Amino acid sequence: FEHRFDYIVPYVAEEFGIQGTLEDVSLKVNDVEGGIISLNTTTPNLSEGSWTGKYYTDYPVTVTADPADGYRFAGWSGSVISDSVTIEAEVVPGGITLEAMFERVGDNS
C-alpha cells in the first residue's frame, strides 16, 4: 500500500497509451486570502500558499484564478505570464510553476 503510486501510475500510463513523463505542476498564490486556483477539475488547497501535483507532459493543464471578495486578479507569473483569468499551460520536462497574483481592491500600496 505504501508504494501504490510507484505501481499504479505506470500501469495507468500504459493502459491509456501515455508516452510523456510525469512532472511537477506547482501552483502558488501571492496572498492566501486573495483567492483560489482551479486546476482542470479540482481546486487544490493553497492555504499554505502553494501546492504541487504530478501531471503528464502529454496534456496541458488548464488553470483558472478566482479572486476572493475584496480582491481582483492581477495576472499570472512563473512559467506562463498572462493577465487572462483562465490559461492553458503545457507541462514540460522539469515541471512548471504558475503563480496567481491577487491584489486587494482599493489598495494603493
Side-chain angles (χ1 to χ4, degrees):
F1 185 76
E2 180 178 311
H3 300 285
R4 71 181 181 267
F5 183 86
D6 297 334
Y7 292 97
I8 193 68
V9 171
Y11 172 76
V12 170
E14 182 181 330
E15 185 67 23
F16 291 103
I18 296 173
Q19 300 293 315
T21 57
L22 198 58
E23 303 292 343
D24 286 344
V25 172
S26 297
L27 303 180
K28 297 181 180 183
V29 289
N30 67 318
D31 182 339
V32 295
E33 295 184 14
I36 61 172
I37 300 173
S38 297
L39 172 65
N40 294 337
T41 60
T42 189
T43 303
N45 180 353
L46 293 165
S47 62
E48 299 293 319
S50 65
W51 174 90
T52 300
K54 300 261 186 207
Y55 288 81
Y56 281 100
T57 56
D58 296 63
Y59 305 101
V61 294
T62 300
V63 291
T64 302
D66 184 17
D69 288 341
Y71 288 84
R72 74 173 191 85
F73 175 65
W76 293 100
S77 66
S79 300
V80 175
I81 298 172
S82 175
D83 59 1
S84 297
V85 170
T86 298
I87 59 171
E88 187 174 271
E90 296 293 327
V91 179
V92 298
I96 61 172
T97 299
L98 303 169
E99 182 172 9
M101 307 298 289
F102 296 106
E103 294 178 346
R104 187 174 286 283
V105 175
D107 187 3
N108 295 323
S109 56

